Amino acid sequence: MEKIIVQGGQTLRGTLRVQGSKNAALPILAACVLVNGVCEIRNCPDLSDVRAAVRILRHLGCAVERGEDSLRVDARTVFRAAIPHALMREMRSSIVFLGSVLSRTGRAALCTPGGCEIGARPIDLHLSSLRALGARIDETNGALCCTARGGLRGTTIRLRFPSVGATENILLAAAAANGTTTLYGAAREPEIGDLIRFLNACGARIRDLGAGTLKIEGVPCLHGCTHRVIPDRIAAVTYMAAAAVTGGDVTLTDIVPAHLACMTNVFEQAGCRIEEADDRLHLRAPERLRAVRDIRTAPYPGFPTDAQAAIMAALATADGVSTIEETIFENRFHHVCALRRMGADITVEGCTALLRGVERLHGAAVSAVDLRAGAAMVVAGLGAQGETVIDQIQHIDRGYEKIEACLQALGARIERSADSGSTKPEQQFPLRLLPLRYG
Ligand code: UD1
């Protein structure tokens, strides 16, 4: 099993280009199924979740080729409407294929992706919205069998919560439906904006009327296009946290500063100086961060739940008491345990974490229990004294492209190891062979 090994205490300096957005690329790849043509998706990160989406596309009948930083998807040959369980469970966001497969083929058979470490993650909003668009959905033991004989029909949908995935599924299903759909209470994350730009470039007619209202005029068919995926704001904030926790001085390029506004504000409150230009940001951190009170995760433009773990890792050593409230997912404090093991003083009450900043964390053996918790372990390890060994790094690889190479470029001492752990021989246990017993 591969591990990431971090020797903490190096100040990060330099310039890093931020990868394309995972959460924008995945629904755009699902949207390719709608297109009777060829799409070229540029700035598409090479991640295990993206590779899982490519396997689904190929299974459905698409021809997919990987270029240097792009994917070319030819969906003219789609011939399947069923996605096997093994492919669905590779990544949770596979549910976003439901809207596009149903719209393209008039049916879809797949299973619910199920809950995960961070919460139950129901899909009731996805299903009720697709039903409102005219889909018939039978749900038995997690298997979804959906049909839309005669096609999907435009309608009015009001989401009780601005779910990102449900908004994406509605966009995909309604883009080629008969008639117009008005969606109230849509998610407003930048990744939704990118999906709309992609669909419109393919001939869809989607207008963002502001305040979470989208008007989607269904069109008979979509054509191919070339699209560049937006930069990954969560990868950007992870590298900002890494720079901040080491007292670093780092420039991030190929970002959209406006997408980071809420997070930039937190780093400024923590004492970092931040300068922004068109597509770049320069962060200079103080020797020690200041605590930040009242961070509260919320749908965009609020503070993103996906940035919560990395910020917590950075604030674990800030001067004073910080508080972070998680409002999006019910179970997203798994990283607290590992941070405590590294010496952090964090207590959790309900959905609020109280961080009493300690002078320094120390290295430890920890696990990347989920994607963003794993990134938080890397951030914590970079600021800690000594060696941190992180296992279960397949979770990190779902969302970060070559994380160790990116951080090495900023001067971090971090490496990936295929062996069982520590790079320090004195920390390895001597191997004692026991006599074999037969019989
Ligand atoms: C997406 C992101 C994920 C991010 C999350 C919130 C992708 C691939 N993933 O996940 O990284 O953390 O947005 O910004 O883009 N909910 C329901 N019923 C539903 C759907 C959602 O109750 O039908 C609830 C969820 O349980 C959760 C909340 O709504 O508590 C937010 O979920 P949602 O916005 O749908 O997140 P995802 O699309 O799964």
Side-chain angles (χ1 to χ4, degrees):
M1 286 289 265
E2 285 191 327
K3 301 186 181 204
I4 285 180
I5 300 172
V6 187
Q7 310 293 341
Q10 296 293 311
T11 301
L12 298 195
R13 291 180 210 285
T15 300
L16 178 68
R17 192 191 84 84
V18 174
Q19 69 185 53
S21 164
K22 166 181 93 72
N23 287 355
L26 294 176
I28 287 172
L29 290 174
C32 287
V33 173
L34 290 172
V35 174
N36 192 17
V38 180
C39 296
E40 189 177 342
I41 315 301
R42 296 200 176 141
N43 200 32
C44 186
D46 188 11
L47 305 166
S48 58
D49 266 11
V50 168
R51 291 193 285 274
V54 167
R55 280 191 284 278
I56 292 177
L57 286 169
R58 288 193 174 130
H59 173 82
L60 293 170
C62 301
V64 187
E65 280 170 35
R66 178 100 219 172
E68 200 177 316
D69 84 330
S70 64
L71 281 178
R72 185 178 178 280
V73 183
D74 183 347
R76 286 173 294 192
T77 44
V78 166
F79 64 90
R80 281 201 183 107
I83 305 177
H85 182 58
L87 288 178
M88 280 300 287
R89 70 163 184 230
E90 281 193 47
M91 66 167 175
R92 208 206 112 82
S93 49
S94 52
I95 192 64
V96 84
F97 277 89
L98 178 57
S100 58
V101 172
L102 183 61
S103 174
R104 177 79 191 264
T105 67
R107 61 206 166 91
L110 39 84
C111 58
T112 54
C116 68
E117 296 75 12
I118 63 174
R121 306 189 83 170
I123 55 164
D124 54 312
L125 297 173
H126 302 238
L127 301 187
S128 59
S129 304
L130 293 174
R131 285 188 175 114
L133 285 159
R136 214 191 121 166
I137 305 177
D138 293 323
E139 205 183 347
T140 319
N141 298 331
L144 297 172
C145 189
C146 315
T147 48
R149 296 225 171 81
L152 296 165
R153 294 182 311 271
T155 188
T156 297
I157 299 173
R158 289 170 205 279
L159 289 180
R160 65 173 153 75
F161 178 85
S163 156
V164 172
T167 301
E168 290 164 351
N169 253 329
I170 294 165
L171 283 166
L172 297 177
N178 296 310
T180 299
T181 299
T182 309
L183 171 58
Y184 297 102
R188 292 188 283 163
E189 270 67 5
E191 295 75 22
I192 299 287
D194 207 30
L195 176 61
I196 293 174
R197 269 188 299 280
F198 169 78
L199 287 168
N200 283 344
C202 294
R205 301 186 65 174
I206 303 169
R207 272 181 302 146
D208 184 347
L209 304 181
T213 302
L214 301 175
K215 198 162 254 311
I216 309 148
E217 274 177 61
V219 296
C221 71
L222 297 179
H223 54 73
C225 78
T226 297
H227 178 82
R228 188 174 196 277
V229 173
I230 55 170
D232 195 312
R233 62 195 171 104
I234 305 301
V237 76
T238 305
Y239 294 124
M240 287 167 81
V245 81
T246 64
D249 187 332
V250 162
T251 299
L252 298 180
T253 64
D254 208 354
I255 55 145
V256 180
H259 293 171
L260 298 167
C262 197
M263 302 173 255
T264 306
N265 183 266
V266 168
F267 285 107
E268 281 175 336
Q269 287 182 57
C272 296
R273 287 186 53 187
I274 294 182
E275 286 159 29
E276 296 169 355
D278 301 345
D279 67 344
R280 55 179 55 213
L281 173 154
H282 176 223
L283 179 147
R284 187 138 44 96
E287 217 164 282
R288 187 175 182 195
L289 297 173
R290 286 197 300 265
V292 182
R293 282 261 179 194
D294 300 331
I295 299 172
R296 188 170 188 272
T297 63
Y300 191 83
F303 189 88
T305 173
D306 285 351
Q308 179 256 103
I311 287 284
M312 188 182 292
L315 292 179
T317 49
D319 188 9
V321 178
S322 303
T323 58
I324 304 180
E325 187 187 355
E326 172 59 55
T327 74
I328 306 294
F329 291 107
E330 63 274 25
N331 199 8
R332 210 171 194 183
F333 280 141
H334 285 295
H335 42 283
V336 168
C337 217
L339 290 173
R340 277 199 202 126
R341 189 186 289 191
M342 296 175 75
D345 182 351
I346 305 174
T347 46
V348 175
E349 266 185 42
C351 52
T352 302
L354 186 87
L355 292 77
R356 292 179 200 84
V358 295
E359 285 273 337
R360 202 91 206 246
L361 298 183
H362 53 77
V366 290
S367 291
V369 284
D370 65 57
L371 165 58
R372 305 304 171 186
M377 294 304 97
V378 173
V379 171
L382 290 167
Q385 198 155 28
E387 182 178 277
T388 298
V389 179
I390 307 166
D391 66 11
Q392 294 189 43
I393 61 170
Q394 72 278 8
H395 290 297
I396 299 177
D397 293 335
R398 287 183 40 226
Y400 293 87
E401 195 173 27
K402 301 192 183 88
I403 191 168
E404 68 279 12
C406 291
L407 289 164
Q408 279 163 5
L410 298 175
R413 289 174 64 202
I414 177 170
E415 62 188 51
R416 185 177 289 252
S417 141
D419 66 31
S420 57
S422 174
T423 50
K424 288 187 183 164
E426 71 269 21
Q427 287 190 358
Q428 288 171 359
F429 294 106
L431 185 65
R432 198 157 59 92
L433 294 174
L434 297 171
L436 290 173
R437 270 195 246 146
Y438 298 96

